[in-house]
Amino acid sequence: MANSTKAKPNYLATLTNGIIKENPVLVLILGTCPTLAVTTMAINGLGMGLAATVVLICSNIVISLLKKVIPDTVRIPCYIVVIAAFVTIVQFLVKAYAPALDSALGVFLPLIVVNCIILGRAEMFANKNDVISSALDGLGMGIGFTLALFCMGSVREILGNGTWMSGASWIGIQNGINLHWENPIIVFLLAPGGFMVFGALVALVNFLTKGKAIKKKEFGCEGCPSAAACKAAQKGGCNA
Amino acid sequence: MKQFAIILISAVLLNNYVLSRFLGICPFLGVSKKLDSAFGMSVAVTFVMALATAATWPIYTYILVPNGLSYLQTIAFILIIAALVQFIEIALKKYIPSLHAALGIYLPLITTNCAVLGVTILNLDEGYNFAESMVNAVGSGLGFMLAMVLFSGVRSRVDASKTIPKAYQGIPITLTAAAICSVSFMGFSGIVDGLFH
């Protein structure tokens, strides 16, 4: 009984951990490629976040269930197969129910397979914890990822296109909000705007938390599944 | 020849993998601190991109498509790339130890690199034939190398600066510097039209 009373707050902490304290995008700086690439519109950020969340929860559950079966030496290939299977399922679902999102995300939908957040959580959390915690961790990290992408997409769409939530007919929003700007700042929709807004958001989080949230000041490898190889490799790389 | 030149130039300058397509951002930000590691990483990426394309294109076209299995693309490709990287590492260690000493440390990082999986998928999305795919793969690798090498120089200057506001230190300022690099690559827009028409 003592265990169950102790376990409950832990579940809540596991869930909220990924949303704020260890936000995968803005604090851990993982999954940067989709973060930069698909956030030209708020709805694309939201769609990418949801797709990755589904994969994250499912793969965390399966890997947590299989953690005693998978031999340690070939665990990374096994995780990749599990993740790739769920990504394929999500690809089918998106193609069937949100074709507009499928064409907006393009190659980044299959590339969820190599999203370091998902492989990172499998390696760091799901293979050490029970099924319920792993599912909640996946949900929390997924919500954190989605929120970060949605914020970034909103900033870029409002500044760069003068609209918000346009093209969101697949979740039932027909037109979104049009701000009728005469000259939107188009650079925010282009590649440089992505880097700039991402940098500004990370700096904002850094500023609001007075640097406490960001444990690592540099791009690190600790969340990355190749961390051990990386550290052996680095004499001037990631964390040197 | 002309179509190969167009593919090569667009892959290196116009649709640069890092600065305009946002593929391979992790190594771009993680391994670009020093020139020699940036160069080594990009040579390894170019090498694996070319071999991965050489392996995945025939498998997709001659095995997956005729058997109606093209939906297995994602799983098949990531497994091929993972196996290929392992195989390259073993082969290099055995037969070309000097190359292994130079590139070996970067190879394990490449399995989960989205630029490699990205180039194999994009080649098929664009409908390139085998020769065009190979040119695109090598060009993309060279574009990655160009961005990495240029950015390692920019980064050493940024890191030496002492006047960065506290909240912007570290990651945010690096991203902002990448934004400015990316602006400079936008200057190449129209180069293909200008050269070949």
Side-chain angles (χ1 to χ4, degrees):
Chain A
M1 285 312 278
N3 259 347
S4 67
T5 48
K6 205 185 151 202
K8 267 208 164 173
N10 277 354
Y11 284 150
L12 188 68
T14 309
L15 181 66
T16 54
N17 192 28
I19 302 176
I20 304 154
K21 215 170 82 195
E22 284 191 15
N23 186 298
V25 178
L26 298 174
V27 179
L28 298 179
I29 323 287
L30 292 172
T32 43
C33 300
T35 306
L36 291 163
V38 305
T39 52
T40 49
M41 293 210 286
I43 190 63
N44 292 349
L46 192 66
M48 180 75 204
L50 290 178
T53 306
V54 172
V55 176
L56 192 52
I57 296 172
C58 296
S59 66
N60 259 9
I61 291 174
V62 170
I63 287 164
S64 176
L65 284 171
L66 293 178
K67 63 177 181 274
K68 293 215 172 80
V69 184
I70 296 173
D72 205 39
T73 43
V74 289
R75 61 183 196 285
I76 301 274
C78 295
Y79 299 161
I80 292 178
V81 175
V82 171
I83 295 166
F86 285 115
V87 169
T88 307
I89 295 170
V90 167
Q91 264 181 288
F92 279 136
L93 290 173
V94 172
K95 275 202 179 100
Y97 293 105
L101 182 68
D102 180 58
S103 55
L105 297 184
V107 72
F108 285 93
L109 200 53
L111 285 181
I112 296 176
V113 172
V114 284
N115 189 319
C116 19
I117 299 172
I118 297 173
L119 200 51
R121 290 328 283 178
E123 170 79 353
M124 316 240 322
F125 199 92
N127 76 342
K128 293 180 194 120
N129 290 283
D130 63 283
V131 178
I132 299 171
S133 315
S134 300
L136 287 174
D137 179 71
L139 180 65
M141 284 285 162
I143 294 173
F145 183 61
T146 311
L147 269 180
L149 258 65
F150 182 66
C151 289
M152 206 169 135
S154 300
V155 172
R156 287 179 73 184
E157 191 183 345
I158 290 169
L159 291 177
N161 200 28
T163 57
W164 191 62
M165 292 298 276
S166 65
S169 52
W170 60 274
I171 54 163
I173 298 172
Q174 282 315 320
N175 292 317
I177 296 165
N178 192 341
L179 301 165
H180 296 290
W181 286 11
E182 251 176 63
N183 294 308
I185 314 161
I186 295 164
V187 75
F188 280 103
L189 291 185
L190 303 173
F195 284 113
M196 223 182 305
V197 173
F198 191 22
L201 281 183
V202 175
L204 182 70
V205 169
N206 219 348
F207 178 73
L208 291 178
T209 57
K210 300 196 171 58
K212 273 179 206 154
I214 302 200
K215 282 172 201 144
K216 48 184 204 190
K217 291 279 179 195
E218 281 300 330
F219 298 98
C221 311
E222 62 221 48
C224 168
S226 325
C230 191
K231 260 176 206 136
Q234 295 310 317
K235 282 183 183 131
C238 296
N239 274 332
Chain B
M1 255 354 262
K2 193 174 148 187
Q3 107 244 32
F4 292 131
I6 292 177
I7 291 173
L8 190 68
I9 290 177
S10 355
V12 177
L13 298 176
L14 200 58
N15 294 322
N16 188 286
Y17 257 54
V18 179
L19 294 171
S20 89
R21 276 197 169 144
F22 297 124
L23 289 165
I25 299 288
C26 302
F28 175 66
L29 297 172
V31 200
S32 65
K33 264 195 160 179
K34 283 199 182 141
L35 183 60
D36 50 348
S37 55
F39 186 70
M41 179 73 184
S42 22
V43 171
V45 166
T46 312
F47 190 58
V48 174
M49 270 182 175
L51 287 178
T53 304
T56 52
W57 197 92
I59 287 175
Y60 184 78
T61 316
Y62 299 117
I63 297 178
L64 293 184
V65 172
N67 293 311
L69 296 173
S70 53
Y71 65 89
L72 285 179
Q73 193 198 36
T74 312
I75 299 184
F77 280 21
I78 191 73
L79 282 178
I80 293 168
I81 293 169
L84 190 73
V85 170
Q86 285 292 322
F87 180 74
I88 293 170
E89 207 188 350
I90 296 166
L92 281 184
K93 206 173 193 172
K94 181 98 169 56
Y95 297 110
I96 323 175
S98 57
L99 197 60
H100 182 260
L103 301 183
I105 52 171
Y106 302 107
L107 287 174
L109 306 180
I110 292 175
T111 315
T112 53
N113 184 330
C114 48
V116 177
L117 184 59
V119 78
T120 59
I121 295 175
L122 280 171
N123 279 331
L124 295 164
D125 285 354
E126 301 271 338
Y128 289 149
N129 65 29
F130 186 70
E132 288 168 338
S133 298
M134 289 308 291
V135 172
N136 187 41
V138 173
S140 307
L142 293 177
F144 183 78
M145 184 185 297
L146 182 67
M148 287 281 276
V149 168
L150 287 178
F151 194 61
S152 71
V154 172
R155 196 144 172 214
S156 63
R157 296 297 289 266
V158 170
D159 287 349
S161 167
K162 299 274 182 261
T163 53
I164 301 163
K166 212 170 175 204
Y168 252 96
Q169 276 167 12
I171 296 158
I173 195 70
T174 313
L175 286 164
T176 312
I180 296 166
C181 277
S182 173
V183 172
S184 72
F185 267 73
M186 281 173 64
F188 290 117
S189 59
I191 188 171
V192 168
D193 290 339
L195 280 176
F196 296 101
H197 293 288

